[in-house]
Amino acid sequence: LSTSTLLPGAEAFLAPVESPKRQRAQRRLMNRLALMLADIVAIEAATVLASLCLGLLERILTDGILWTPLLGAAAALAVLAPAAVLGLHEAAGLTPLERFRMRVYVGAILPWPSLALIALVQPVTIEVVVILAAAALLYVPLALLTEASVRQALLARSAWGADVLLIGSGEAVERIANDLLAHPEAGLRPIGYCGDPAGSETSHQLP
């Protein structure tokens, strides 16, 4: 590649070298912690709602909610581990459709590791099985909702996703840059390009 050109406003991101690396690490950690918290909120809300629904069906609310700390902890662990493996705690790398698909996968396997963890401590009852099955169904929409809230909050602070350098020139770079800027939820924020600028102008919408 013949030239390396910074796009307008990108100097603060590309130089000096040490500062961007530290910023990227802090942003990635913030994204991971926020997404993990969103998953915990979603699964705990799902298990509580499932417990309440079962209690209403069995008319035993006077005896207390069926949710227990053990149930909540087991469900949380059963969600966090596969979500991390599938990349759901990373802000960049998965499209919204892929994130939805991964959420469905996590919800599908949720009851089994949860039941295994609970069985290590106490006998598993039919109520627990029903609650976890219902929580698995509730988890997907709740997780999408909490993730969207986290994403919007981080986007407002310019803390969502990762900075990317586009390689190439001409209309292809401009088209890709415009697509990424139009869909910030993808988590890829273009800050510059590396290529031959001859005969083309790079998009000036970049920060």
Side-chain angles (χ1 to χ4, degrees):
L1 297 175
S2 58
T3 46
S4 179
T5 305
L6 295 181
L7 293 171
E11 290 84 354
F13 295 99
L14 298 182
V17 174
E18 291 302 322
S19 178
K21 178 182 282 189
R22 184 174 182 180
Q23 290 174 5
R24 287 195 299 270
Q26 291 175 343
R27 186 186 302 132
R28 188 176 184 184
L29 178 60
M30 181 187 300
N31 290 167
R32 282 182 174 179
L33 293 177
L35 289 169
M36 288 175 66
L37 179 61
D39 263 343
I40 292 173
V41 171
I43 189 56
E44 295 307 320
T47 53
V48 169
L49 286 173
S51 299
L52 284 171
C53 291
L54 181 61
L56 286 171
L57 289 174
E58 296 188 352
R59 300 180 181 277
I60 57 172
L61 279 180
T62 53
D63 295 333
I65 188 172
L66 296 176
W67 184 91
T68 64
L70 175 60
L71 177 63
L77 289 174
V79 162
L80 291 178
V85 171
L86 293 173
L88 286 170
H89 296 157
E90 299 291 341
L94 295 176
T95 66
L97 180 59
E98 289 173 329
R99 299 187 76 86
F100 172 76
R101 187 184 302 119
M102 295 304 175
R103 291 288 178 197
V104 173
Y105 290 161
V106 174
I109 65 174
L110 165 63
W112 315 115
S114 300
L115 290 172
L117 290 171
I118 293 173
L120 294 175
V121 180
Q122 65 183 36
V124 175
T125 62
I126 186 61
E127 287 84 2
V128 170
V129 175
V130 173
I131 289 172
L132 287 174
L137 296 175
L138 292 170
Y139 163 75
V140 176
L142 289 173
L144 293 173
L145 180 62
T146 55
E147 181 182 297
S149 300
V150 166
R151 181 169 56 246
Q152 290 304 316
L154 292 175
L155 280 172
R157 300 182 57 183
S158 299
W160 175 261
D163 296 335
V164 294
L165 183 68
L166 302 180
I167 299 176
S169 58
E171 294 183 0
V173 168
E174 185 173 359
R175 184 173 63 253
I176 292 173
N178 289 336
D179 286 344
L180 292 177
L181 290 170
H183 301 282
E185 66 276 6
L188 299 175
R189 186 170 45 254
I191 60 170
Y193 80 94
C194 182
D196 187 354
S200 66
E201 291 189 15
T202 306
S203 173
H204 294 287
Q205 300 181 42
L206 294 179

